[in-house]
Amino acid sequence: RSFSETYRTALDFLGNPSKLWLSPRLEDRRAVLKMVFADKLAYARNEGYRTAQISKPFQMLRSIKMHKKYA
C-alpha cells in the first residue's frame, strides 16, 4: 500500500476505533486491541481485568482533549 493510503487508514482508525471493533472479523478485533493497548490485558483471578495501559497515540489524543477542555 502507498504511504498516503496507510496514513489515511491510520487516521480513520484513530478517529473512530469502534468502527473496526464492530467488524464481524475476529482479526479486526484483535488488531484493535493491539493498537489501543500498550501491552496485553492483565487478568487477576477472582478480581477480573486490571486497569490497562493505553498506547502512545491514544495517550496523546487524551492529552490533547484534556488540554482543549481546560484551555
Side-chain angles (χ1 to χ4, degrees):
R1 295 184 177 186
S2 70
F3 174 77
S4 62
E5 184 179 4
T6 303
Y7 184 75
R8 185 176 49 246
T9 302
L11 288 181
D12 286 344
F13 169 74
L14 289 173
N16 191 4
S18 64
K19 182 178 176 183
L20 189 57
W21 179 254
L22 294 174
S23 167
R25 297 181 58 219
L26 182 59
E27 296 84 9
D28 291 342
R29 289 181 172 214
R30 285 184 177 157
V32 170
L33 291 175
K34 287 181 181 181
M35 289 184 271
V36 172
F37 298 110
D39 204 358
K40 292 181 180 179
L41 297 176
Y43 183 82
R45 190 179 295 198
N46 299 326
E47 293 181 32
Y49 285 100
R50 309 304 298 164
T51 302
Q53 295 294 318
I54 60 172
S55 65
K56 293 292 182 189
F58 285 94
Q59 288 177 13
M60 291 186 336
L61 288 172
R62 180 174 55 188
S63 175
I64 291 168
K65 182 178 178 181
M66 295 304 288
H67 179 71
K68 286 182 180 179
K69 183 177 180 179
Y70 294 108

